[in-house]
Amino acid sequence: GFSVNEKGSRVVSGDQNAADDMDAVIRNFLTKFPKYKENKVFLSSESWGGHYVPITTYTILQNNDNRDDKINLGGFFLGNPYTDFYENS
């Protein structure tokens, strides 16, 4: 789809902002559906997700150390990740 940013509005972008948002989505899901709270959560992606999944994993681990609402992180998987411009060109 197309997004429009109103003049003067702040654009939120970047890998860390995406990781913070993904962490929040998972925590909100587990709050709304507590029967899944004990299940292990695995993150997975391919290609450009090689940027987002590792930093999201790190963010979850950092937030788990500082919060009471823990995510039971089981690990992450990357298929053919695009992690570095020079390595992947």
Side-chain angles (χ1 to χ4, degrees):
F2 294 96
S3 298
V4 177
N5 186 26
E6 293 182 21
K7 194 172 189 173
S9 295
R10 185 173 159 258
V11 175
V12 178
S13 63
D15 293 348
Q16 186 60 60
N17 287 326
D20 292 339
D21 288 347
M22 288 187 268
D23 176 83
V25 164
I26 295 167
R27 289 180 197 281
N28 287 339
F29 176 87
L30 294 174
T31 298
K32 291 179 182 177
F33 302 99
K35 70 180 182 178
Y36 298 112
K37 207 170 187 86
E38 299 304 316
N39 292 6
K40 287 187 178 182
V41 173
F42 291 90
L43 306 177
S44 65
S45 187
E46 54 89 30
S47 190
W48 195 253
H51 283 273
Y52 296 113
V53 168
I55 196 168
T56 300
T57 301
Y58 179 76
T59 299
I60 289 170
L61 292 172
Q62 291 295 104
N63 288 339
N64 275 352
D65 287 343
N66 301 315
R67 299 175 63 130
D68 292 330
D69 60 337
K70 309 282 188 218
I71 294 174
N72 187 10
L73 186 65
F76 71 92
F77 306 96
L78 296 175
N80 194 27
Y82 187 96
T83 56
D84 181 77
F85 174 79
Y86 296 104
E87 294 290 326
N88 297 114
S89 295

